[in-house]
């Protein structure tokens, strides 16, 4: 379970291809504009980057043309109301 100021969902894994296909259920579950991606190179230190996110897919680029990363992809759920974060300062 994720803890934070939103109702979040995540998927993680490894890939050696330049396209990560998100689970089918993400289309109805996640606001596409809230998707963020973390990439960690495996093996050589290579710069990887997100080219685009569309049609339930994440497209990855690389300065060397080779893709070998682990990833974590986060998104905010759209099937539930947004969390209202309250902060109450406690005096000690």
């Amino acid at each position: 379970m994720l803890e934070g100021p939103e109702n979040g969902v995540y998927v993680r894994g490894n890939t050696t291809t330049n396209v990560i296909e998100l689970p089918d259920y993400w289309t109805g579950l996640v606001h596409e504009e809230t998707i963020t991606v973390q990439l960690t190179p495996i093996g050589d230190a290579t710069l990887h980057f997100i080219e685009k996110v569309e049609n339930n897919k994440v497209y990855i680029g690389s300065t060397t043309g080779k893709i070998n990363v682990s990833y974590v992809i986060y998104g905010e759920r759209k099937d539930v109301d947004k969390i209202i974060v309250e902060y109450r300062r406690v005096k000690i």
Side-chain angles (χ1 to χ4, degrees):
M1 175 179 217
L2 291 174
E3 294 287 339
E6 66 182 5
N7 290 306
V9 65
Y10 72 95
V11 64
R12 61 190 177 102
N14 298 319
T15 189
T16 56
T17 67
N18 69 327
V19 178
I20 300 169
E21 293 194 36
L22 297 169
D24 290 339
Y25 60 84
W26 270 52
T27 303
L29 187 65
V30 174
H31 291 290
E32 186 174 72
E33 68 276 3
T34 68
I35 292 174
T36 57
V37 182
Q38 288 182 282
L39 301 171
T40 303
I42 298 171
D44 295 334
T46 300
L47 178 61
H48 294 87
F49 51 90
I50 304 307
E51 293 179 336
K52 62 183 174 179
V53 177
E54 68 180 17
N55 298 324
N56 219 34
K57 296 178 183 170
V58 176
Y59 294 86
I60 303 169
S62 168
T63 54
T64 63
K66 295 180 182 180
I67 307 292
N68 189 10
V69 296
S70 61
Y71 61 85
V72 181
I73 303 171
Y74 302 94
E76 183 179 359
R77 292 180 68 148
K78 65 181 178 183
D79 64 330
V80 295
D81 292 334
K82 289 186 176 278
I83 293 176
I84 298 172
V85 178
E86 293 185 24
Y87 174 76
R88 186 178 294 169
R89 187 175 182 154
V90 179
K91 292 183 181 181
I92 300 177

